[in-house]
Amino acid sequence: MMEEVQLWDEEAEAPSDWGEYQDALVKRAVQYASECSREVRHRLADAGLNPETVSGIGDLRNIRVLAKDDLPELQASDPPFGGLLAVNVGELRRIYRSPGPINDPEGRIPDFWRMAPALWAAGFRPGDIVLNTLSYHLTPGGHMLDAGLREVGCVVLPGGVGSSSTQASFAASVGATGYVGTPQFLLTLCEKIEREEIPISFQKALVTGAPLPQSLRRNLQGTYGIDVFQVYGTADAGALGFECEAKRGWHIAPGVAIEIIEPGMGEPVGPGESGEVVVTSSNEIYPLVRFGTGDLSSMAMDDCTCGRTTPRLKGFLGRVGEGVKVRGMFVHPRQLAVVFDTEPSVHRYQAVVTSEDHRDVLTVMVEGDEIEIPALAPLIEEATNLRVAVTSVPPGTLEEGVKLLVDAR
């Protein structure tokens, strides 16, 4: 019988003094990044700060936030990582290409994105057989969860993005009881299993990459008997927060300090108020100082029944930046521009994200002369890596200066 062994720093999940732990992490991260990251050195210089004078999270407010939406331009001007990488490129295990486009590094250390604590909190244990349905192609999502699962000791089925019938049959043939991926694809699998009477029963799931409405959680847990947990993270910073058994928000993950700031201002918001999630990470490969995720949330500081002493993020409350996450993948207006800036027949366009039966739908409306819709759709899908519905609308439907990407969910 396998012994249940904790494979990470328990002190990082339940420090006796959260403020002291966070300040020490920030101090260490800033001093290390100032030595190894050109980008961080530039922002410290702009702020007139000596890294030795940064003693805690309160000193960060003088440092300009680096927005995730600025990474494509920064990396293009200083390839391949915009001066953020703290090691030689040859020391990396992999380099990914996320939508934006953004280059994301993976270092040669176990569980590089620190997903193991989230999986452990969700009940995953050594020997569990788990279907991983996040993409293993170019983007890091699949490998992020894969590394955490292997650190816990699970057996991974690298499903990636693919046919629900194939994945359900595969999972059933080897006795999988765990799932990781988006909640929407989990629902698709459950419906497929039920409809085709496939002999499989997922017992637990860690979902990410898309919203989890309470109605969808109730459906997955009540109808299909799956204990569903969430993890929140980014390809740049790894795991940032995760649910425990209480499911009252996302506990701050080990290895990061998080501020909730007023968007565009850099100042922390008041207790309980919503703002942008800004991360400082002590990652020795890719240290981040005041990295703006573009996500909105708020912080809960009250005690949790699970015993973890870290504060909790109160879920996803929207976006600050232009990027919108669709079926686990970010879509940016500049990805659409790659297609439409070379299409003279299209005068105006707008992409709208909606939700139908808990599934994301990306619809692109185009306005112009003699538009060839069948030719446009494959170009948009290639640019976004997503299935899209393209419709032609009458002239005058879209106003001049219309927002190019709208999240209507």
Side-chain angles (χ1 to χ4, degrees):
M1 180 179 295
M2 293 186 180
E3 181 181 358
E4 293 188 357
V5 179
Q6 201 82 343
L7 301 174
W8 45 87
D9 182 8
E10 294 184 19
E11 169 64 14
E13 288 195 26
S16 57
D17 187 316
W18 170 248
E20 184 178 296
Y21 171 81
Q22 185 176 236
D23 285 343
L25 187 152
V26 166
K27 181 178 179 179
R28 183 170 67 252
V30 170
Q31 292 183 1
Y32 177 76
S34 69
E35 299 171 1
C36 304
S37 167
R38 292 193 302 277
E39 190 280 330
V40 171
R41 280 199 300 271
H42 290 161
R43 279 189 294 136
L44 286 171
D46 289 344
L49 281 178
N50 182 334
E52 297 295 330
T53 65
V54 176
S55 60
I57 197 165
D59 297 323
L60 294 178
R61 66 178 62 197
N62 297 316
I63 303 172
R64 175 174 53 84
V65 172
L66 171 64
K68 184 182 180 81
D69 281 348
D70 291 339
L71 284 184
E73 183 178 351
L74 183 66
Q75 291 184 349
S77 63
D78 186 5
F81 294 106
L84 279 82
L85 194 67
V87 298
N88 294 325
V89 174
E91 297 179 43
L92 298 177
R93 175 177 286 136
R94 298 182 182 94
I95 298 175
Y96 302 91
R97 185 76 154 181
S98 293
I102 296 172
N103 297 329
D104 294 307
E106 179 188 359
R108 296 179 183 272
I109 56 178
D111 193 21
F112 177 72
W113 296 276
R114 308 176 323 282
M115 287 289 173
L119 289 155
W120 191 273
F124 290 81
R125 294 295 182 267
D128 286 343
I129 301 174
V130 183
L131 177 64
N132 181 3
T133 65
L134 291 185
S135 174
Y136 280 79
H137 176 64
L138 286 182
T139 58
H143 285 283
M144 291 173 72
L145 270 299
D146 190 293
L149 287 165
R150 288 186 291 110
E151 182 75 356
V152 169
C154 299
V155 180
V156 184
L157 309 184
V161 178
S163 161
S164 57
S165 291
T166 301
Q167 299 221 35
S169 298
F170 176 32
S173 71
V174 296
T177 58
Y179 169 95
V180 295
T182 67
Q184 288 74 19
F185 191 66
L186 177 56
L187 177 62
T188 296
L189 283 176
C190 288
E191 292 173 344
K192 178 73 66 175
I193 290 165
E194 184 177 47
R195 187 166 54 251
E196 300 183 7
E197 298 183 348
I198 298 172
I200 182 175
S201 177
F202 291 120
Q203 298 172 4
K204 53 201 167 193
L206 184 69
V207 299
T208 189
L212 178 63
Q214 283 302 316
S215 57
L216 178 53
R217 190 200 286 268
R218 285 194 296 269
N219 190 9
L220 291 169
Q221 295 188 161
T223 304
Y224 298 105
I226 304 171
D227 201 5
V228 180
F229 294 77
Q230 285 182 291
V231 60
Y232 162 58
T234 73
D236 328 85
L240 301 180
F242 57 87
E243 286 184 321
C244 65
E245 59 268 27
K247 298 179 183 177
R248 295 179 54 240
W250 304 331
H251 284 277
I252 303 301
V256 294
I258 288 183
E259 303 169 87
I260 305 295
I261 70 162
E262 187 175 347
M265 302 300 292
E267 289 293 318
V269 301
E273 295 181 1
S274 64
E276 182 179 7
V277 178
V278 173
V279 182
T280 295
S281 165
S282 59
N283 186 304
E284 62 188 43
I285 307 297
Y286 201 58
L288 298 173
V289 173
R290 290 210 107 191
F291 177 75
T293 64
D295 296 328
L296 294 173
S297 191
S298 59
M299 196 87 80
M301 303 298 293
D302 58 311
D303 294 338
C304 184
T305 55
C306 74
R308 292 176 176 83
T309 60
T310 55
R312 302 182 308 282
L313 294 170
K314 296 180 182 179
F316 177 72
L317 303 179
R319 287 281 299 168
V320 175
E322 294 182 324
V324 174
K325 190 165 280 190
V326 184
R327 298 196 290 275
M329 298 284 289
F330 267 113
V331 177
H332 294 266
R334 53 181 166 266
Q335 291 169 274
L336 302 172
V338 168
V339 176
F340 291 110
D341 286 356
T342 58
E343 291 291 331
S345 62
V346 177
H347 300 163
R348 291 174 187 160
Y349 63 91
Q350 183 182 60
V352 181
V353 185
T354 55
S355 179
E356 297 178 7
D357 296 326
H358 299 300
R359 293 173 176 84
D360 295 338
V361 178
L362 178 60
T363 302
V364 181
M365 297 178 289
V366 293
E367 182 181 312
D369 302 321
E370 300 180 356
I371 301 171
E372 296 184 12
I373 297 295
L376 273 180
L379 296 176
I380 301 171
E381 291 178 352
E382 182 180 0
T384 61
N385 292 319
L386 293 165
R387 294 188 305 276
V388 299
V390 184
T391 62
S392 178
V393 296
T397 302
L398 302 175
E399 299 180 359
E400 185 175 356
V402 67
K403 190 174 180 181
L404 301 182
L405 180 59
V406 176
D407 188 350
R409 289 169 294 188

